[in-house]
Structures are given as C-alpha cells and as structure tokens.
Amino acid sequence: MNCADVGDLRLLARRRLPRFLFEYVDGGAFAEQTMRRNVDDLQGIAVRQRILKDVSDINLGTELLGDAAAMPVALAPVGLAGLYARRGEVQAARAAEAAGAPFCMSTVAGCSMEEVRGAVQRPFWFQLYMIRDRGFMHALLDRAEAAGITNLFLTVDLPVSSTRYRDIRTGLAGGRGALASIGRMLEVMRHPAWAFDVGVMGRPHALGNVAGVMPPGTGLFGFFEWVARNYDPSVTWNDIAWLRERWRGRLVLKGVLEPEDAQAAVAAGADGIVVSNHGGRQLDGAPSTISALPAVADAVAGRATVLMDSGIRSGLDVLRALALGADGVMVGRAWAYALAAQGGPGVTRMLEILRQEMKVAMALLGETDVRKLGREILVNRGTLP
Ligand SMILES: Cc1cc2nc3c(=O)[nH]c(=O)nc-3n(C[C@H](O)[C@H](O)[C@H](O)COP(=O)(O)O)c2cc1C
C-alpha cells in the first residue's frame, strides 16, 4: 500500500505488529477520552483560507532548543521502539537526522544511547525518567554527557504508570498465566515478518539505557512491573533543583498542562517545556493539549521554548499548534506507527508527509514563514468549538 497519510501508516502498523504491541502503541489511559480529545480538538480548529499573497517561497525551517530543524517537528520519546522494528531507535534516529528533525530518545529505548550515537552524525535529545536509584541516575547523566547530549527532557507526567485497559486485555500488562503466554505466542506466530525482523534480526533485546538496573531476563512482560517498582513517584520540585544543578545542558520539562506549573518550571530554570498529556496515556479526563496550550504559552511569555505534543497527525495540526503559541511540536504515535509499518523508510515517509502537508497548508493559508504564524490564521482566532 502507498501510504498517503499518517492514518495509512497506522493501518500498516496494525497489520504488521502482534496485537499486544499494536494496542500498546495505539491505546491510551482508561476510557481514552483525553486521547480522543487530543485529536478531535486539533482537528476541530478551523483555519482561514487566504488568497493572492505570493506564496512561491515557503520557509518551514526553524530552531528548536539550539538545534536547527528543517521543520518545527521533532520525534517524541517513545519507549520500546526496538520492538516495533529491528534496532528501531537507530533506524528512526537516522531517518530523523536525514530529514532534519530532532530525535528524542526514551530512557526505556531498546537500543542504548551509545549505539544510537554511533549511528548518527549529531547528538540527539534524551528523555529521562527519574528512577529511584539516584546512583544510577548520576551514571546515566554521565553517559548522556559523554554521548554529547545537550538537551535533556525530564518527563514529569508519569509519577506512576496509568492504567491502560487495552494492555490488560491483550495480556501485555499483568498477563503472567500459561493461557496468556500461549495467546501471545500465537500472536507472534501470526506475524512472522515481524517475528523475523525484530525477534531474530533485532537482537539483543535488552533495554540499552537501563539494562544496568534491570534484573537480567526481565523481558517485555516483566517490564511494566519493573517500571512500577523503579520509577520514583516521590519526585518534587526539589528534584528539579537537584537536576538543574547537576545537568549543565538544556533542561526541558515534558508533561506540563497548567499555566502555574509552566511558571514554576521557568522559575526552576527550565529552558523549555513540552505541553503534553503523554498522548492521553496518563490522566484520562485531562484537557487536550491544544486547548491547554494558549494559556500555558501566555504564562511562559517567551522565557522558555514551548513545545507541544499529543494528537498531532498531520502537517496542518502542526500549524494549528504553532498558531496557538508553540515553537514546535513533537510527534509520538506518528513515528511509532511509521517505524512499525516500514522501518526507517517509514519514518522518512511520515516526515515527508508532514512536510508536504505543511507546505500545501501554508500556501493556502497565505503564509510563507512558519516562525511567524499566529492566531490570525485561525477562524475566530482559534476559539475551540
Ligand atoms: C508507545 C508509546 C510509548 C511512549 N513512551 C514514552 C517514553 O518512554 N517517555 C516519554 O516521555 N513519553 C513516552 N510516550 C509519550 C510520547 O513522548 C508523547 O508524549 C505522545 O506520544 C504524544 O502523543 P501522540 O502519540 O498523540 O503524538 C510514549 C508514547 C507512546 C505512544
């Protein structure tokens, strides 16, 4: 199938992945209301068609956290990407670099940061989960520094992992019984192309960044229990002060939805924030990020970089977010689907789709520079329906 949009990549991913993995990527928390709102609210924002404004030369390039970006789009940290395609993070980071899009690596990536660093020319961004063992955190930060990483994203919307019903139903979370393992084995057998690509060619299967604190043989199905035991739910602003002191590079807090938290982040020395609800995977019932963005951007008032994620499925969505105050966006599922569908070339295709969609939309909006977009491109200045 020729993939025309991100939705097509999702359909291919659904065919290619065992069900327990596809549902892990595709699903959200509880009733998935926030997950749906993210997409629906973005798509509900009408834009203004303008005419006769020389749009022969359109600039999509910008700068995000000190890095040049060919378009205002970065790849969000997505855990376990090494299971979507062989050496998934290496493939995605290479595709992102070639397209001029920053790549943010997850703490719980399949590959290690050193492996990915060896596969690309320039340092990427790194996302951190605070793990209870602070000795290990120090060592991880040392490794990040040694890998030349300058932009560190601390995820703050996951003091505990939320409940995702789909993962319970597929047996990914908590399915330890014999029946559950037989079910999973059958799923793997039904997807031989994936089993060969990831299971055989994608070895080894350890989580490269955290292998040092994970008991050997934890495996995919022990992973979620490990998370529950090892992620630190006691983190407060005091730990941000500790990290700010410890980390010399740029620090970004990912998972901010409230203006007062954004202000506190700036006061704590954050260089940026990501307005995010984790793609609707954490607090179900929280507002969509696009509806939270304007007030948060106002509260930051240019003192830090404002990125937004959750729900971005098209180039037009990117422009909607920029118009409402984001400096750039991150995409999560879009690249996870693409990687699962077609490996690195899928990620290249996804980024090309977004670029083309942005270019066409810019021309029809009568705009030529993404760095100058504001609410004037939105009907009623972007008031949500
Ligand atoms: C399968 C999956 C795994 C994720 N893993 C992480 C992670 O390890 N660290 C993190 O900060 N966010 C993680 N996220 C959240 C993304 O970084 C991002 O906030 C979210 O996917 C954005 O929403 P979108 O998928 O609608 O673009 C994950 C998201 C998905 C879909």
Side-chain angles (χ1 to χ4, degrees):
M1 175 165 93
N2 290 327
C3 292
D5 68 358
V6 169
D8 288 344
L9 290 163
R10 174 180 177 276
L11 290 182
L12 269 192
R14 188 165 70 180
R15 268 191 234 153
R16 189 163 164 94
L17 291 179
R19 202 173 142 232
F20 56 82
L21 266 188
F22 176 74
E23 302 294 357
Y24 169 67
V25 173
D26 198 55
F30 294 98
E32 301 186 339
Q33 283 172 339
T34 295
M35 184 175 90
R36 280 192 297 277
R37 261 180 215 157
N38 284 333
V39 172
D40 293 349
D41 285 357
L42 265 165
Q43 293 180 1
I45 295 173
V47 293
R48 295 173 69 208
Q49 170 179 295
R50 302 299 310 278
I51 54 170
L52 303 173
K53 286 174 157 261
D54 184 0
V55 289
S56 47
D57 188 15
I58 289 173
N59 172 54
L60 298 180
T62 189
E63 191 195 295
L64 298 175
L65 295 161
D67 290 346
M71 54 185 171
V73 176
L75 303 197
V78 165
L80 310 180
L83 290 178
Y84 314 151
R86 80 173 81 159
R87 314 316 292 157
E89 292 86 5
V90 164
Q91 294 202 58
R94 281 192 175 138
E97 183 166 86
F103 171 76
C104 189
M105 179 187 223
S106 166
T107 299
V108 288
C111 301
S112 68
M113 61 177 104
E114 291 81 6
E115 180 180 352
V116 176
R117 184 66 190 91
V120 294
Q121 305 294 316
R122 286 185 306 277
F124 39 88
W125 300 350
F126 185 67
Q127 173 265 332
L128 199 68
Y129 279 126
M130 198 70 91
I131 288 164
R132 288 175 199 261
D133 180 343
R134 292 300 151 85
F136 178 77
M137 294 307 289
H138 272 291
L140 197 62
L141 291 169
D142 286 344
R143 283 169 63 188
E145 246 167 44
I149 287 160
T150 52
N151 292 334
L152 183 73
F153 286 61
L154 179 73
T155 298
V156 289
D157 59 7
L158 201 139
V160 297
S161 253
S162 190
T163 299
R164 300 175 194 149
Y165 293 147
R166 296 201 211 184
D167 294 346
I168 296 173
R169 291 185 186 119
T170 62
L172 183 67
R176 280 208 169 274
L179 263 183
S181 1
I182 292 168
R184 286 190 301 252
M185 190 67 80
L186 286 174
E187 266 306 295
V188 170
M189 285 161 63
R190 269 192 217 118
H191 297 86
W194 173 85
F196 179 72
D197 182 42
V198 172
V200 180
M201 303 305 290
R203 289 195 183 124
H205 295 133
L207 299 182
N209 296 323
V210 293
V213 275
M214 246 183 167
T218 299
L220 175 59
F221 302 97
F223 169 72
F224 297 94
E225 289 163 19
W226 177 84
V227 165
R229 280 197 309 275
N230 287 277
Y231 284 18
D232 189 349
S234 74
V235 172
T236 67
W237 290 102
N238 293 333
D239 299 274
I240 306 299
W242 169 80
L243 189 59
R244 183 61 288 181
E245 187 79 19
R246 170 71 179 72
W247 178 256
R248 282 190 290 255
R250 287 190 192 82
L251 179 63
V252 179
L253 298 192
K254 174 175 181 285
V256 175
L257 274 190
E258 292 292 328
E260 62 186 280
D261 288 336
Q263 269 162 350
V266 174
D271 301 285
I273 57 165
V274 187
V275 182
S276 173
N277 53 35
H278 218 100
R281 296 165 74 81
Q282 283 296 104
L283 179 62
D284 198 32
S288 63
T289 51
I290 194 66
S291 66
L293 174 65
V296 171
D298 282 352
V300 171
R303 291 173 294 159
T305 299
V306 177
L307 301 180
M308 189 207 98
D309 75 18
S310 302
I312 302 279
R313 299 289 182 270
S314 72
L316 183 54
D317 288 344
V318 179
L319 305 185
R320 288 167 164 138
L322 298 188
L324 286 171
D327 297 304
V329 306
M330 300 180 98
V331 293
R333 291 186 185 81
W335 80 261
Y337 295 143
L339 180 71
Q342 298 176 332
V347 178
T348 302
R349 176 79 189 121
M350 183 278 293
L351 289 168
E352 181 54 23
I353 287 169
L354 292 189
R355 202 180 69 81
Q356 275 304 330
E357 288 172 345
M358 256 184 275
K359 247 187 140 167
V360 171
M362 287 285 287
L364 300 177
L365 291 162
E367 294 290 332
T368 54
D369 190 345
V370 280
R371 293 167 302 187
K372 297 192 181 133
L373 293 185
R375 282 175 176 252
E376 63 285 349
I377 69 164
L378 309 175
V379 173
N380 297 328
R381 298 177 63 78
T383 317
L384 287 172

